[in-house]
Amino acid sequence: MGGYGIHWFRRDLRVLGNPALEWNLARNGGKVVGIFFVDSTFLSRPDFSPNRFAFLLNTLEALREELRALGGDLLVLDEIPKKGFSALLTQLKKSKKGKPSVVSFNRDYEPFARARDEGVSEMLVHGWGVEVHTERDHLVIEPHELKKESGEKSFYQVYSPFARKWFELLGRREIRGRVCPAEAKQTHFGLRWRDLLGVTDIYADRLEHFRAKNSKQVSVPIPKAGSKAALALLDEFDDELDDYSDQRDFPGVSGTSQLSMYLKNGSLTSAQVIAMLGLENARFKAVPQKMGATQFLKQLVWREFYIHILWHCPWVENQAFLEKYRNIKWENREDLFEAWKEGRTGYPIVDAGMRQLRQTGWMHNRVRMIVASFLTKDLLIDWRWGERYFMEQLLDGDLAANNGGWQWAASTGCDPQPYFRIFNPTLQSRKFDRDGVYLKQWLPERAHLKGRALHEPIEPIVEHSSRRLKALAMYQPLAR
Ligand SMILES: Cc1cc2nc3c(=O)[nH]c(=O)nc-3n(C[C@H](O)[C@H](O)[C@H](O)COP(=O)(O)OP(=O)(O)OC[C@H]3O[C@@H](n4cnc5c(N)ncnc54)[C@H](O)[C@@H]3O)c2cc1C
């Protein structure tokens, strides 16, 4: 055995506080190299987003810099992981150092990733005699740790009891120790890829190739990537945390953390956020002066809730969580869908949101809820159309959160908005963007309007009150 390890990076693109990487470094006295596979199955997904891919590639670049500054290295290969590992191990076996003793990675919970990891682990352990070591990272509390005590369905399907249990577990010693790790140790790597392989044609690093190829398709400004950028953002947000619960619903105010795309790639984790903001003692029902912190933590719990749901019910990826809503007869009019995508519905808050999405790759949560409700309950279009379009556009696009958000808005999901609660886009606009700060930013052609006129639809593609009745008629017979 070579007495060195490989760390397989996936959604944990950072060095600081990376549990599986730290384990590997300790085991191998710093002799660990990093690898990332750009999987072609991922590139050919129908909801692939060049913008999100650009952010990922920049994150990999930042990770490589972080590793190199510490004496380490990252190789980016254009391979399906199973094939890639097999070719790599064949090559390494022939080299002076031989094959690695261990491959480490942090666990992922998406259906595709679970199947992939099982296949790769099986091959590494049984086919190559290489140990596999995994750790928890992407979640604070994993699905097997948060179960109902009894009952036919042993996992929580309603957010509030899930969150109550989650907060209770956060207070327990074994979880707390993980969330608030002892001071990060000074990390040093004692191995680079060139020490192992040299860089041959087969293993030519593909990062620059992908960046050059993808950059032509990028349509939004790509924010700074990597753990340093994420930590800087978190630091800024720390000063605003107390105001979070008062501001988080107002899209015209910069009142939320904007950390979603970093959490998605693991440039930062929820555990780190909790530790750095000192939230480990937060209670489910917060005392008022701690309201901002607790509200913020509750959003991180929504993130975990949807990941747990996807883990327990992988079929939500393609169909409604609630069986009774699997056969809704959507109208699915293409012309209305195009108008929604292009921000031409005539409803200002909807159009502003869709333009923000198209121009920046991000949309405020309140507006995501409004446009999703509008697509499903005013335009009567299948939530899966909207879900796919969001994935194509969002820099933070994430299967569990996006699916959860869409199914919530369409009332088909786990603990959703009741079907009869249908957002009135004009009232939502007046309530959450009273002075039209957000509307004026994204719809400058409306900047001259004042008061209520600013929020009123102009030449709307559908009429809200009649479409609302249609939506109710569509859901009602199935709702029993
Ligand atoms: C239709 C729809 C689609 C969505 N798609 C995605 C998606 O693809 N990726 C994504 O990360 N979030 C998604 N969300 C959730 C939410 O809108 C974003 O997480 C949030 O707007 C990101 O901004 P922020 O980081 O400033 O959030 P903050 O308010 O600062 O919240 C902190 C973090 O908590 C998590 N979070 C917050 N709200 C939710 C929520 N409702 N569900 C799950 N996690 C949440 C995110 O990781 C977020 O970064 C969606 C919501 C809806 C209604």
Side-chain angles (χ1 to χ4, degrees), residues 14 18 41 56 58 75 82 85 90 116 121-122 144 169 179 204 233 237 249 254 262 281 335 369 386 413 444 467:
R14 69 189 189 290
N18 182 324
T41 26
L56 170 70
N58 288 359
L75 184 63
K82 202 167 174 185
F85 267 122
T90 307
R116 175 198 63 199
S121 301
E122 162 75 21
H144 70 271
L169 290 176
V179 175
L233 205 55
F237 178 66
D249 255 328
S254 168
Y262 301 95
N281 294 320
D335 58 333
M369 295 196 292
R467 299 297 282 187

Side-chain angles (χ1 to χ4, degrees), residues 237 244 248 255-261 263-264 270 296 298-304 306 362-366 368-372 390-391 394 396-409:
F237 178 66
Y244 179 76
R248 61 179 288 266
T256 67
S257 71
Q258 308 231 356
L259 285 170
S260 46
M261 62 195 86
L263 290 166
K264 146 103 190 172
S270 292
F296 180 66
K298 283 181 182 171
Q299 305 316 307
L300 294 176
V301 180
W302 270 109
R303 178 180 169 277
E304 302 225 342
Y306 286 137
W362 189 82
M363 195 196 293
H364 189 278
N365 180 61
R366 168 59 48 184
R368 291 188 205 205
M369 295 196 292
I370 297 171
V371 304
F390 262 35
M391 281 307 271
L394 281 171
D396 66 20
D398 174 81
L399 173 58
N402 194 39
N403 181 276
W406 273 97
Q407 293 222 43
W408 179 87

Side-chain angles (χ1 to χ4, degrees), residues 5 20 70 73 99 128 135 140 164 185 193 198 209 223 232 256 282 301 303 325 347 376 392 407 416 453 462:
L70 298 165
D73 203 1
K99 61 183 183 179
W128 286 93
E135 292 277 348
V140 174
R164 210 169 289 121
K185 290 176 219 90
W193 279 105
H209 159 82
T256 67
V301 180
R303 178 180 169 277
Y325 292 133
Y347 286 89
T376 50
E392 288 164 19
Q407 293 222 43
V462 291

Side-chain angles (χ1 to χ4, degrees), residues 14 120 163 174 215 382 479:
R14 69 189 189 290
V120 170
E174 67 279 14
S215 65
D382 192 330

Side-chain angles (χ1 to χ4, degrees), residues 333-434:
R333 271 181 54 187
E334 296 271 2
D335 58 333
L336 298 184
F337 186 50
E338 286 307 310
W340 176 82
K341 287 199 308 194
E342 289 167 13
R344 292 188 285 104
T345 67
Y347 286 89
I349 191 76
V350 176
D351 294 345
M354 297 310 289
R355 291 196 203 172
Q356 180 182 31
L357 177 62
R358 201 169 257 219
Q359 289 173 35
T360 69
W362 189 82
M363 195 196 293
H364 189 278
N365 180 61
R366 168 59 48 184
V367 193
R368 291 188 205 205
M369 295 196 292
I370 297 171
V371 304
S373 172
F374 190 80
L375 185 81
T376 50
K377 294 176 176 170
D378 283 75
L379 302 184
L380 311 181
I381 289 176
D382 192 330
W383 57 270
R384 285 167 291 203
W385 291 29
E387 183 196 22
R388 159 94 60 96
Y389 181 68
F390 262 35
M391 281 307 271
E392 288 164 19
Q393 299 292 321
L394 281 171
L395 289 169
D396 66 20
D398 174 81
L399 173 58
N402 194 39
N403 181 276
W406 273 97
Q407 293 222 43
W408 179 87
S411 304
T412 61
C414 193
D415 198 9
Q417 169 97 310
Y419 79 90
F420 47 81
R421 208 163 282 157
I422 299 179
F423 284 153
N424 177 324
T426 311
L427 296 184
Q428 288 283 313
S429 185
R430 271 195 233 145
K431 183 168 176 191
F432 294 106
D433 189 33
R434 201 186 60 192

